Amino acid sequence: MTQYSVINQRAPRLDAPDKATGRARYVDDLKLPGMLYGAILHSPLPHAKILNIDTSKAERLPGVKAVITAKEGGHIKYGVSPARYDETLFCVDKVRYIGDEVAAVAAVDLASALEALSLIKVDYEELPAVLTIEEALAEGAPILHEEFPRNICAEVHQEFGDVEAAFKECDLIRTDKFINKRQESAALEPHGCVADYDPWGNLTLYTSTQTPHYVMRTVAMVLGIPVGKVRVVKPYVGGGFGSKAEGTPAEMSAALLSKITGKPVKIVYSREEVFLHGRSRHQFIHEMTTGVKKDGTLVALKHSCYLDGGAYTSFGIATVYYAGSMLGGPYKLPNMKYDGYRVYTNKPACGAQRGHGAVAARALFEQQLDIIAEELDIDPIDLRLKNVMSRGDVTCNELNMSSLGMKECIEAVKDGSEWTKKKGKLPKGKGIGMACGFFVSGAGYPIYRSDTYHSTATIKLSEDGGTVNLYTGSAEIGQGSDTVLAMIAAEALGVRLEDVKVHSGDTEYGVDLGAYSSRQTLMSGHAVKEAAEAVRRQVIETVAEELDLDPEDIDIKEARMIFKRPNVDFTPIRQSYIREHRGWMDQPDEPYLTFKEAARLAYLRKGLIVGTGKYKPPKLGGSFKGAAVGTSPAYGCSAEVVEVTVDTETGKVTIDNMTDAHDCGFAINRTSVEGQMEGSLSMGLGEALFEEVKFGPDGKILNPNLSEYKIPTSLDVPDIKTIIVESNEPNGPFGAKEVGEGAIMPTIPAILNAVYDATGARIHELPLVPERVYMAIKKKNNEGK
Amino acid sequence: MTQYSVINQRAPRLDAPDKATGRARYVDDLKLPGMLYGAILHSPLPHAKILNIDTSKAERLPGVKAVITAKEGGHIKYGVSPARYDETLFCVDKVRYIGDEVAAVAAVDLASALEALSLIKVDYEELPAVLTIEEALAEGAPILHEEFPRNICAEVHQEFGDVEAAFKECDLIRTDKFINKRQESAALEPHGCVADYDPWGNLTLYTSTQTPHYVMRTVAMVLGIPVGKVRVVKPYVGGGFGSKAEGTPAEMSAALLSKITGKPVKIVYSREEVFLHGRSRHQFIHEMTTGVKKDGTLVALKHSCYLDGGAYTSFGIATVYYAGSMLGGPYKLPNMKYDGYRVYTNKPACGAQRGHGAVAARALFEQQLDIIAEELDIDPIDLRLKNVMSRGDVTCNELNMSSLGMKECIEAVKDGSEWTKKKGKLPKGKGIGMACGFFVSGAGYPIYRSDTYHSTATIKLSEDGGTVNLYTGSAEIGQGSDTVLAMIAAEALGVRLEDVKVHSGDTEYGVDLGAYSSRQTLMSGHAVKEAAEAVRRQVIETVAEELDLDPEDIDIKEARMIFKRPNVDFTPIRQSYIREHRGWMDQPDEPYLTFKEAARLAYLRKGLIVGTGKYKPPKLGGSFKGAAVGTSPAYGCSAEVVEVTVDTETGKVTIDNMTDAHDCGFAINRTSVEGQMEGSLSMGLGEALFEEVKFGPDGKILNPNLSEYKIPTSLDVPDIKTIIVESNEPNGPFGAKEVGEGAIMPTIPAILNAVYDATGARIHELPLVPERVYMAIKKKNNEGK
């Protein structure tokens, strides 16, 4: 650890002062001269033919500058996966959910825009709708998309080993079902953007997004503008969690309205619109059969699941893959069969959310492991330790554990939670549970296969040598990536964190696929490190040339030039620096040559000092169809112990404490690693205990607001003990890998297992609202009678 | 000319659509969240001791967030020339002119800021003031700056050859005096800025400036911030003409107020403040003695002049040098003596203005040449042709005419104006006159000697290969530099103008000294060309490698890849491009390989494609002290013929037509070259006919507004015939050199000579308002009696 001077420390967040002082500018703070306000007309019906749209009254309303419908913006099908483009900006022939986009308006103020929406007359012919997986799959069900006559958006069928044969050798086979509910990521900042299309055909789009690059791609495609003429700029973003990982109708509408009107156009979603377009977490219905030997050795897993996808695909193809493939680890499991179906329903489309696709399957599997452990009378921790993989192992579905501190995580939470002292020894109404999880560290394959480089980065020194400007298209969305990348740049170049100025979240800075799949530290970090090394080399070479030294004899550390040979006389450089800077700069009086002096010399000798870096993952993926999805250059893992108190009279669950150990490979910013763990745990807590997007019988969301859709507040979150495990990932910059999502995995099953420990009741449906817990306790008590 | 496909054409201005549609955003259009409004308190007295400043009442006014005086911002002396820092942001001990900065306020709105100013109580002890050169130089005159006990801010004494000895050999010696008046550049957009200081100590300053780099330097120095932490961003600028070529009190006050309050602060000058801080053109009093042989051969020139500098130095040291040195050309003149004095007076400081320092001296000299021609009975054009220098000549003060189409310019206007048909043959009251001029094309030395590179540039290709992003710190201020630099980039890289997207006017893009001394086409152009060539090389090398060709066999032209060998099969590249772009990009079907395809390939193979360029002038300057000022890598020159009508009853002068030929080396954008000529001519017309900043007896400006200070409108400007002369400057990119300022030189003397031709009256004082012309005619008529 001592070999590093910047990374592996606790660094203050670069965005903290702006956020603490209210200076941070979000997209809704942006006002451009002449800016118009846009609003979107949503379908009031879950499924209907559009017979006619009359916009004439809206167009005549004073202050209205443009009204657009499918006529203007319905030509190009788009989506997240080029293999499954099933969306148009506005509905062409029919609407598919309550909220589907029908038209948009730009006006001089928001009130006029909203009034104009009310003046658009749409004639619908209502169609029967399907609102559940069961309805959608029923014989003769109404069809959402003609191309998908069974309402199956995507299906995955995989088998590794021979599951049926393996089951025959098992001593214990256990089958369970599990249902979670649709969950909203509930980022505090709604989606929003300002689009500014100039007379030369350049579109600048300021938007609250996790993925400027993908938004650029989608908007360019839908509007028919060359990608090189679309610039996406991400201001401060108030959270994303997956919901802002793709282009939105707001972005495309604003861009098209700006193109038509020649004015900047702002569209910011209301909270209700966030629920409609926020690409919530899917509802899954799982059935899982696990077979083990009596010593607890895992032998086979059969898993089938159905996803309620809503009306469009979004990230759903990846979701249905992840749901299966992420069970391949972190345990040795030679036989695995997976059948997954994503189903279209007349509800808002679901997409990616923290722990994409893998959370609910993990919840069931880790609960099942506890059930099996109990039946075999093995401590749940011992059962897991018996089966755990370690570095170098490859899963049956060909995921390569290039590093894996799974065992260390389990042992860390076992110690950290005082498991042995507590397990089975807690008073009535209290329970302790544990679980493990693992997740990708960056998707090995990009959404667009032509994105050869997943990240590029540029570093440019200021002419005074004092500021290291880092340019990256990566997206700081509150997770701390700007700080982490600045730390990587500082360490690799040999300067201090405060010397680095980060410019990020702008497609003009080059390719970066953005903040999703826990990819930025590993992938953007690699590119940044390479760029920093390129700059470092130029500075060292200049000094070496100037002092007639071998570059190998020069190092940079903590913004000082280090000479590995004794008695190097650097006064010529200092003298030149002092002469150069007379009257406008500080004059160094340190007994060593500063980086600033050396960097200034490099400027004087060579002009602009610029270094670039890039990253593409090594060849990944297995030999089977669909292997791409789920493969990653690295996998993070975590283990968690949760203690709960359950009020058996009311069913109310209180989380008493949580102990989480996460293998992040190597902690770049220890504070941020812990912050990400805490964030994942609190999000998992909310999903376990009370989050559920509810629908009325007509398919309308009943609780599309943060007063009725509850997310955890600080009062709900207990003391969290975070333990960082470092496994030194060979594919990560300085050994680092993910921490942003993986820690949510064990949270839900650990709570489920702890609630069982407290109550003796197994619950296979989320969320654990008091009513459900109470009924489960009651049922269990009745069974016991 | 045919070898080029972009340059030497008539290109549409890149900024035209924004300006024509009102989209162009100037600094006053900028509003940042939480922004405060600043205002500056000016001295009401021309010269006074500050006894006390009481800001307490102002501070208590609701809405006021900060009040600053010399206590906060008076520590650091600054100026344009490091050799002569005589200004502080706020007056420390005394005020030196009506308008001198005493305090500044930031408040939530402008009204509160202005009210706060009225509540600041300053106790002054009035001091006697000097308001003219004569008063300032008088024995026992009040002294403005203790360090300059004779009120002489700067003096220059130079002699080349032996002037007195040379006069003895002359057949004709002529001595004249000449007085011009203080002239305001009257850019239509006032100076203004928004300063935004962040919690990490980074200052971003959006400002209407010609010189982002120098503003960065000055503000960093005055506020004590490292240069690398100051970013200056120039939005659209509504003209500068020299008045925006240095850091302003508005910029420094806004920056300091932003630092103190933690909020963005906007300060925009009122028109009156522009007159106070706009660094007007100096008033000069010249005396010039010219000796010639009877055949017209120029032998010797003795020139002395006094400049009314106002209270501070500003660019004055350069001004007093230019006034002398620019007479070294464009004529062969073996002996020259110059004595120049810049004098401090209790008036607003003067600085640089189009044709910096050289305009008035040129007016006198070219008038004197006409007088001499008449006395020797030589046609004024023949006199000039006899003496004119040409390529390769070096002036007596060691200016190198690396290219000089002076003879061609003279002949062009002679033909173009039908001089021979008209000279001496016009009816009474009508006159024709001509004159020549020349000027630097970039100052050979920067203001700060440590500015090794005068310009740097970066070019980066977009990932789709379709957009060439050019980054330059150069300043588009309405003169068309963005378009010219884009054309240079396009030509050097081999693409079309519309492929280039210019990002300029931002110190973050690297060093560029800005828009002054007619430097951008030559200096920034060089850097841009080098950057484009670097990118071109990378693209060609990638294609060569891919197709196993010699890079020498590949060229790029009009965005096509040209193969110099027959039958090159580029289908592998196209196939890969089509595969890569499926679903999101246009597919090329041209029979040739497009640049876009090649550039995309380069991205796929190498990642970011970035090229950088830089420029520093070759070693310049003579062997004598002060040689630096006036030396340039190149000199533009021009000749002009003007026809006038003078109403001898009223003295009113009407310009009938103007014919101007300018040697710009090589015209990058022919439309812009002509536009710059027309602009210079109209500006010279205003200065010749009616522009004068007038002072009352207390030193207060009497006409600080555009209703009383007249500048030419389209009604005042006649038909202008512009003739482009190209001399292929070896030090210029593609042979180009200046056109922005030089053409103002001949305008004033050509008008003076034409008025003489029309009236027989020689006038040695500007402006030629009817009263002055009438009195001169009357005097001449009286003399004639």
Side-chain angles (χ1 to χ4, degrees), chain B residues 174-216:
Chain B
R174 169 85 199 186
T175 297
D176 291 285
K177 292 195 176 186
F178 190 74
I179 298 175
N180 72 320
K181 299 294 159 54
R182 173 188 289 241
Q183 282 139 350
E184 163 62 26
S185 66
L188 287 187
E189 184 210 21
H191 305 60
C193 65
V194 177
D196 188 15
Y197 190 89
D198 78 16
W200 291 101
N202 298 303
L203 172 67
T204 305
L205 182 65
Y206 307 89
T207 184
S208 178
T209 185
Q210 303 174 227
T211 52
H213 178 86
Y214 289 142
V215 170
M216 175 188 76

Side-chain angles (χ1 to χ4, degrees), chain B residues 368-379:
Chain B
Q368 214 174 35
L369 288 182
D370 259 39
I371 295 169
I372 287 166
E374 190 179 25
E375 291 194 25
L376 298 176
D377 196 20
I378 302 175
D379 182 279

Side-chain angles (χ1 to χ4, degrees), chain A residues 14 200 450 460 508 580 600, chain B residues 14 200 450 460 508 580:
Chain A
L14 299 182
W200 291 102
S450 67
K460 191 167 70 180
E508 203 182 286
E580 288 289 340
R600 173 71 183 169
Chain B
L14 299 183
W200 291 101
S450 65
K460 192 167 69 181
E508 203 183 284
E580 288 290 340

Side-chain angles (χ1 to χ4, degrees), chain B residues 621-639:
Chain B
S623 49
F624 57 96
K625 184 165 180 290
V629 183
T631 58
S632 172
Y635 300 86
C637 62
S638 50

Side-chain angles (χ1 to χ4, degrees), chain B residues 473-503:
Chain B
S474 64
E476 167 66 78
I477 56 169
Q479 86 283 42
S481 60
D482 275 2
T483 310
V484 161
L485 297 176
M487 293 173 82
I488 290 175
E491 187 70 52
L493 179 48
V495 298
R496 299 155 304 187
L497 179 57
E498 62 263 36
D499 298 326
V500 181
K501 191 167 162 189
V502 180
H503 311 256

Side-chain angles (χ1 to χ4, degrees), chain A residues 14 23 25 196 200 213 216 221 227-228 450 452-453 460 463-464 467 471 508 580 583 600 603-604, chain B residues 14 23 25 196 200 213 216 221 228 450 452-453 460 463-464 467 471 508 580 583-584 600 603-604:
Chain A
L14 299 182
R23 272 183 57 94
R25 287 158 204 159
D196 188 16
W200 291 102
H213 178 85
M216 174 188 77
M221 190 178 76
V227 163
S450 67
T452 299
Y453 298 105
K460 191 167 70 180
E463 55 156 316
D464 70 345
T467 301
Y471 300 87
E508 203 182 286
E580 288 289 340
R600 173 71 183 169
Y603 162 74
L604 293 175
Chain B
L14 299 183
R23 272 184 56 95
R25 287 158 203 159
D196 188 15
W200 291 101
H213 178 86
M216 175 188 76
M221 190 178 76
S450 65
T452 300
Y453 298 105
K460 192 167 69 181
E463 54 157 314
D464 70 345
T467 302
Y471 300 86
E508 203 183 284
E580 288 290 340
W584 65 281
R600 173 72 183 169
Y603 161 74
L604 292 175

